[in-house]
Amino acid sequence: MSARRVALVAAALLGIAVVVVIAVRTPWTVLPEPPGGYTEPDPTAGLDPDRIERAEAFADALRPASLLSLVLGLGVSAALGLTPLGARLMRAVGARVGGRWTLQVLVGVPVLLLLGRLATLPISAYAESVRSSYGLSTRSWWLWLRDVAVSLAISAALTVLVLLAFLWLARRAPRTWWAWAGAAASGLVVVGSFLYPVVIEPAFNSFEPLPAGELRSDLLALAEENGTPVQDVLVSDASRRTTALNAYVSGFGSTRRIVVYDTLLGELPDAEIESIVAHELGHVAADDVLTGTLMGALGAGAATALLGWLLSWTPLLRRAGAGRPGDPRVVPLLLFLVSAGGLLATPVQNLVSRQIEERADLHALELTRDPEAFVDMQQRLAGTNLGDPDPPAAWHWFFGSHPTTAQRIAMAADWARLEGP
């Protein structure tokens, strides 16, 4: 069997493994059907007309910009990756740095990423102005530019490291590079899951312990009752950037902590904050991060094997102006294929995410036994975060990572009916 065919078979087998993990680990039916059937979601989610009108106006202002940014970013990536343009750029960089392939990657990759970011930067600035005009963003333009620069720098650094390893393997093992790269990519997903809370999060926010008091004690007790004790309860300085309300649990073992946005404190009653945290603890109890890491690791392996098949197709390499997988001129094509693959996987990822989020909602209800606080919290989050309680079905199918506010409130009503008076 040819090396190209082996790569395709490996991609198929790993893809099947991903499907199996998704099928087994995704909670497809979260709540049994109550007597009389499930509650029909109220499109208004109980919000007053003014809030709904404001949320819909906000969404109408951002959705076209989001689509344009997506199309433009992918278009720039395609122009660089599916034509000789990107290869010529890499070759020009190589000529200036002495022709060494490592230096071509070190210099060329940041240039490619910068071009893509500059193409969509005006749209991002427009989106930021919309968020600011609606009171969601509190960032100054200098802080916004700083966040853009830090994000681009982190992305460029990680991408350079990954591509250096990728090309090194492709040059050292021309027939089996994809297998080694797949193993490395899978390992990187696992390592990234553990390092993100202690490396990436501090690059954008500062964290301070929540002062001693009833809320801190209740949240720590909630984690204990959940069977997933945490090391600390931290407050993130989210208000430097946004007025949005949120909380999450991050880390594993000794690094696990509850993080609440400072925007929550003083804005929500303790019962509603506890409901949000109980939802996040539901993810921990169900090992959702570990499941996501497993799916990501298998998916990375499958994607790398598929790249091994695609990058051994001579007509594709010629179209991109590259000679072989170990050629630095293949980098623009590789970046495009990764972007296109991520876009194609988005609806599947969000389908799984919506089911997992629904299970976490159920966990919050069972842990707190307070459906009223849950409903009040959902309505408050929708109103403050300007979430559309009932977005267009097609948009929600593709981009929605959580159930709609209307669906979440309907599920709480079903849970209350099942639990009885």
Side-chain angles (χ1 to χ4, degrees), residues 185-201:
S186 299
L188 188 62
V189 170
V190 175
V191 171
S193 293
F194 286 87
L195 290 183
Y196 186 89
V198 294
V199 176
I200 304 299
E201 286 179 7

Side-chain angles (χ1 to χ4, degrees), residues 1 30 35 50 54 93 118 179 188 208 227 254 281 336 394 406 409 412 418:
M1 187 181 296
V30 173
D50 289 342
R54 183 173 170 81
V93 169
L118 288 175
L188 188 62
E208 296 290 341
S254 61
L281 289 171
F336 166 73
I409 291 175
L418 286 169

Side-chain angles (χ1 to χ4, degrees), residues 321-363:
R324 56 193 174 91
D327 184 347
R329 292 175 297 175
V330 83
V331 165
L333 172 62
L334 184 59
L335 292 176
F336 166 73
L337 292 174
V338 170
S339 296
L343 181 61
L344 292 174
T346 295
V348 176
Q349 292 173 338
N350 283 335
L351 169 64
V352 174
S353 175
R354 288 192 295 271
Q355 297 302 121
I356 288 174
E357 294 296 336
E358 186 178 2
R359 177 173 62 191
D361 283 345
L362 176 62
H363 188 87

Side-chain angles (χ1 to χ4, degrees), residues 217-233:
S217 298
D218 288 348
L219 294 181
L220 290 172
L222 202 64
E224 290 284 350
E225 184 181 350
N226 193 56
T228 54
V230 299
Q231 296 301 310
D232 206 349
V233 181

Side-chain angles (χ1 to χ4, degrees), residues 9-31:
V9 170
L13 291 176
L14 286 170
I16 292 171
V18 173
V19 171
V20 170
V21 172
I22 289 174
V24 172
R25 292 292 297 169
T26 302
W28 299 109
T29 301
V30 173
L31 194 68

Side-chain angles (χ1 to χ4, degrees), residues 169-418:
L169 287 170
R171 296 166 79 90
R172 290 294 297 266
R175 291 176 59 85
T176 60
W177 63 264
W178 55 267
W180 299 105
S186 299
L188 188 62
V189 170
V190 175
V191 171
S193 293
F194 286 87
L195 290 183
Y196 186 89
V198 294
V199 176
I200 304 299
E201 286 179 7
F204 294 93
N205 291 103
S206 298
F207 302 89
E208 296 290 341
L210 180 67
E214 184 177 355
L215 178 59
R216 178 183 175 87
S217 298
D218 288 348
L219 294 181
L220 290 172
L222 202 64
E224 290 284 350
E225 184 181 350
N226 193 56
T228 54
V230 299
Q231 296 301 310
D232 206 349
V233 181
L234 303 179
V235 179
S236 166
D237 62 342
S239 59
R240 292 179 61 215
R241 292 172 170 83
T242 182
T243 59
L245 308 175
N246 199 13
Y248 58 91
V249 178
S250 68
F252 299 88
S254 61
T255 67
R256 183 186 296 145
R257 65 273 184 93
I258 294 171
V259 179
V260 298
Y261 281 18
D262 57 358
T263 52
L264 283 178
L265 305 177
E267 292 292 329
L268 269 65
D270 286 0
E272 294 180 27
I273 296 176
E274 290 169 20
S275 188
I276 295 174
V277 171
H279 168 97
E280 299 302 326
L281 289 171
H283 290 306
V284 180
D287 290 327
D288 288 338
V289 173
L290 293 178
T291 298
T293 300
L294 176 59
M295 291 179 185
L298 290 172
T304 307
L306 187 59
L307 285 174
W309 178 70
L310 287 171
L311 294 182
S312 60
W313 187 28
T314 303
L316 181 61
L317 291 174
R318 286 177 179 168
R319 172 176 288 275
R324 56 193 174 91
D327 184 347
R329 292 175 297 175
V330 83
V331 165
L333 172 62
L334 184 59
L335 292 176
F336 166 73
L337 292 174
V338 170
S339 296
L343 181 61
L344 292 174
T346 295
V348 176
Q349 292 173 338
N350 283 335
L351 169 64
V352 174
S353 175
R354 288 192 295 271
Q355 297 302 121
I356 288 174
E357 294 296 336
E358 186 178 2
R359 177 173 62 191
D361 283 345
L362 176 62
H363 188 87
L365 290 165
E366 293 179 338
L367 188 60
T368 63
R369 315 297 296 182
D370 192 348
E372 183 177 348
F374 178 88
V375 170
D376 289 343
M377 174 267 292
Q378 293 294 341
Q379 291 174 334
R380 198 184 303 268
L381 290 182
T384 302
N385 298 345
L386 294 182
D388 188 346
D390 188 38
W395 182 273
H396 188 64
W397 171 79
F398 197 95
F399 295 106
S401 60
H402 291 61
T404 68
T405 303
Q407 291 169 342
R408 300 174 97 163
I409 291 175
M411 194 269 282
D414 289 336
W415 179 84
R417 287 165 58 197
L418 286 169

Side-chain angles (χ1 to χ4, degrees), residues 89-90 92-111 160 164 167 328:
L89 178 60
M90 293 296 292
V93 169
R96 290 182 174 275
V97 296
R100 295 187 61 179
W101 71 269
T102 51
L103 293 178
Q104 288 186 57
V105 174
L106 284 170
V107 179
V109 169
V111 170
V160 163
L164 283 173
L167 292 178

